[in-house]
Amino acid sequence: MKETPDELERTELPREESGRRRFSIHVAWTLLARTAMTFNSVVAGIIVARWLGAEGLGQLAVLNVTVGTVAQLGSAGLPSANTYFISRDQTRLAAVALNSLVFALFAGSVLTLLLTALAWWQPSLFNSISPRLVAIAAAAVPFQLIMLLGLNIFLAVGRVDRFNLLDLASQSFVLVNAVFALLILSRGLWTLVSLNTAASIVVSLMIVWLISRQILSLDKARSLARPSRRLFGEMLRYGLKFHVSLLAAMLIFRADLLVVNHFRGAAEAGVYSVASQVAMMLMLLPGVIATLLFPRISAEEDASGRLTCVVSRHTALVMLIVCLLAVPASLLLPLLYGAPFADVKVQLLILLPGVYLIGLESVLVQHFNATGLPVAIPLFWVATLLINIALVFALVPAYGARGAAIASTAAYAMIFALVALYFRARTRRTISEALLLSGTEVRELFAAVSARALLKRV
């Protein structure tokens, strides 16, 4: 007997409500994990700043940014391709995982050799950092690639718990290693960088083991447990389009620190690394929402943009509150890091408008990432990158880290405007529909907050 339209609607509403509740829970747990990761990173940064000074922190930041950027650049967009293809067809799990592992080991090894050779051939690029120290940090590249690819596989199969725990575990070593190397052993930067590389190896091996268990638990995926050249070609085509956007974003987010280090030295780079780190911390919530929204839209194939609008409206309100609270909080940063970091509060205030806008863009763009990724999105990022590079090299020599912050905020505003206008053109939904809560939604939000507050009192 077929269900009537009314019966279908009644059954569909609880499912949608249940899906939203599950999504909210995943966002909350992921945000909690990312907050813990940020805490680890901040405390580790304070320890390094206090024991090794602004120059030591600057050198560590340059090494971390260099290795992280190289790993991201070498990923060819495959982490997102993993999420996209597995979300649409779970039977591809084994083939995608094996393709990813082979790629990570080969590409990562090549990148390690190239980065090490560059450090020896052009040591001036890394200023006062020893080529041997760069080589130690570069050895982590293949294993960071495995982590990037593997974590997105857990996300695609709905194992948000493993995604969060492993991501948190890898970041926790940042603090554990800083405490062990500097406070307990009383050693220096060499020991700390070596321990960080060792931690990358350990976590990547754990990820490979857990993915193997996930494959063995699925009969159909286990029967297809072999690399697929055809599938890898499809992954690469999607991934390279995504990679252009990722490459541009990573250069905008990270390359300015290297430029500050080159023109103004490690000490000023150390100060700017703190402002950048706090800015990235403020992007945690929209980043978490975007990460979890991507596989959901991919699976549901929501071409209308309805789900993206619902999520982006709530994100806009929360990000506004977060950025406003960051203004008085910025005054505490020099007290935490010490007198040499006095300018960090000004740099952060310059970054805040851009942080708000890039946070909204990161949610809106998931609509396009999950629906095939039109070529326009990578082109938007390339245009933004070119403007950013011009601004960075024009402003940093004269204004230092403040100039880098101005260039970043301008780039964030540009990419937001391009994506928001394109979203409006493709979905026929207005900007206000995508960013402003309706009166009903505001009342529901305050009612939910009031209800939770009442339950706590009871």
Side-chain angles (χ1 to χ4, degrees):
M1 182 177 179
K2 293 184 178 181
E3 292 175 301
T4 66
D6 288 341
E7 289 172 332
L8 284 171
E9 184 177 0
R10 283 195 296 271
T11 56
E12 201 62 39
L13 287 174
R15 286 177 192 167
E16 184 173 348
E17 186 63 31
S18 174
R20 288 183 183 179
R21 188 160 50 247
R22 186 167 59 252
F23 181 77
S24 299
I25 292 171
H26 286 166
V27 167
W29 279 111
T30 307
L31 182 61
L32 182 62
R34 295 293 173 88
T35 302
M37 290 163 61
T38 303
F39 173 81
N40 292 339
S41 185
V42 169
V43 174
I46 293 172
I47 292 172
V48 174
R50 292 290 185 178
W51 265 257
L52 301 180
E55 184 173 357
L57 179 61
Q59 290 179 337
L60 181 63
V62 168
L63 287 172
N64 289 340
V65 166
T66 300
V67 171
T69 302
V70 167
Q72 288 281 5
L73 297 182
S75 70
L78 291 181
S80 296
N82 287 355
T83 303
Y84 179 76
F85 282 98
I86 297 174
S87 296
R88 288 175 169 245
D89 186 356
Q90 298 273 323
T91 62
R92 291 171 167 171
L93 171 60
V96 168
L98 289 170
N99 284 344
S100 298
L101 180 60
V102 172
F103 175 84
L105 292 174
F106 176 77
S109 299
V110 172
L111 290 170
T112 294
L113 292 174
L114 290 176
L115 182 56
T116 302
L118 182 63
W120 284 99
W121 182 46
Q122 291 289 338
S124 60
L125 290 175
F126 297 93
N127 208 333
S128 58
I129 303 174
S130 164
R132 291 184 178 179
L133 191 57
V134 174
I136 294 172
V141 171
F143 306 100
Q144 289 208 8
L145 268 177
I146 291 174
M147 286 191 283
L148 282 172
L149 294 162
L151 289 175
N152 277 48
I153 289 174
F154 290 124
L155 192 62
V157 298
R159 294 306 304 265
V160 178
D161 52 345
R162 285 186 179 176
F163 171 82
N164 286 326
L165 287 173
L166 289 165
D167 210 8
L168 179 58
S170 65
Q171 184 66 21
S172 296
F173 277 111
V174 172
L175 176 57
V176 172
N177 291 343
V179 171
F180 188 67
L182 303 180
L183 303 188
I184 297 176
L185 296 182
S186 298
R187 304 296 289 272
L189 192 59
W190 285 77
T191 302
L192 178 55
V193 173
S194 300
L195 288 174
N196 287 343
T197 297
S200 297
I201 296 172
V202 170
V203 175
S204 67
L205 292 176
M206 176 64 71
I207 288 173
V208 170
W209 178 66
L210 288 173
I211 290 175
S212 301
R213 291 190 59 188
Q214 183 75 31
I215 292 171
L216 293 174
S217 68
L218 300 173
D219 292 336
K220 199 160 187 180
R222 186 170 65 241
S223 66
L224 300 173
R226 57 184 178 275
S228 170
R229 291 178 61 182
R230 182 190 60 78
L231 178 58
F232 182 73
E234 293 179 14
M235 292 167 59
L236 203 56
R237 282 192 292 275
Y238 175 91
L240 287 176
K241 285 195 297 181
F242 191 92
H243 193 54
V244 173
S245 302
L246 180 65
L247 170 59
M250 287 301 100
L251 289 175
I252 292 170
F253 287 145
R254 297 178 174 179
D256 54 352
L257 177 65
L258 304 181
V259 177
V260 171
N261 178 66
H262 179 74
F263 283 107
R264 308 290 287 223
E268 189 161 346
V271 177
Y272 186 60
S273 72
V274 174
S276 300
Q277 182 184 57
V278 176
M280 296 301 291
M281 179 179 68
L282 297 176
M283 298 179 200
L284 275 178
L285 179 61
V288 166
I289 292 171
T291 298
L292 298 176
L293 186 62
F294 177 30
R296 183 167 177 180
I297 299 176
S298 296
E300 296 183 5
E301 302 185 30
D302 177 26
S304 68
R306 181 191 61 82
L307 178 59
T308 304
C309 283
V310 171
V311 175
S312 62
R313 287 197 296 267
H314 289 81
T315 304
L317 175 62
V318 176
M319 277 302 294
L320 178 62
I321 296 171
V322 167
C323 288
L324 290 175
L325 292 176
V327 174
S330 65
L331 303 176
L332 300 176
L333 294 174
L335 300 177
L336 290 174
Y337 286 89
F341 293 82
D343 197 54
V344 70
K345 60 181 181 294
V346 178
Q347 297 171 22
L348 179 59
L349 291 176
I350 296 172
L351 286 168
L352 279 180
V355 166
Y356 177 75
L357 294 176
I358 197 67
L360 301 185
E361 183 277 338
S362 67
V363 175
L364 280 177
V365 80
Q366 296 312 314
H367 170 78
F368 300 111
N369 292 343
T371 54
L373 191 57
V375 177
I377 300 300
L379 292 179
F380 290 160
W381 275 105
V382 170
T384 304
L385 174 63
L386 294 176
I387 297 297
N388 178 253
I389 290 173
L391 289 174
V392 166
F393 280 96
L395 296 174
V396 169
Y399 302 102
R402 292 188 182 185
I406 293 171
S408 293
T409 287
Y412 299 163
M414 178 176 173
I415 190 61
F416 164 76
L418 290 171
V419 170
L421 291 173
Y422 190 58
F423 181 84
R424 177 184 178 183
R426 289 293 293 267
T427 63
R428 303 298 180 186
R429 295 184 181 273
T430 64
I431 300 297
S432 61
E433 189 178 0
L435 300 179
L436 298 177
L437 288 171
S438 65
T440 302
E441 287 174 319
V442 172
R443 287 191 294 272
E444 289 176 352
L445 188 61
F446 278 104
V449 172
S450 301
R452 288 174 186 171
L454 182 60
L455 284 174
K456 286 183 179 179
R457 290 196 195 103
V458 175

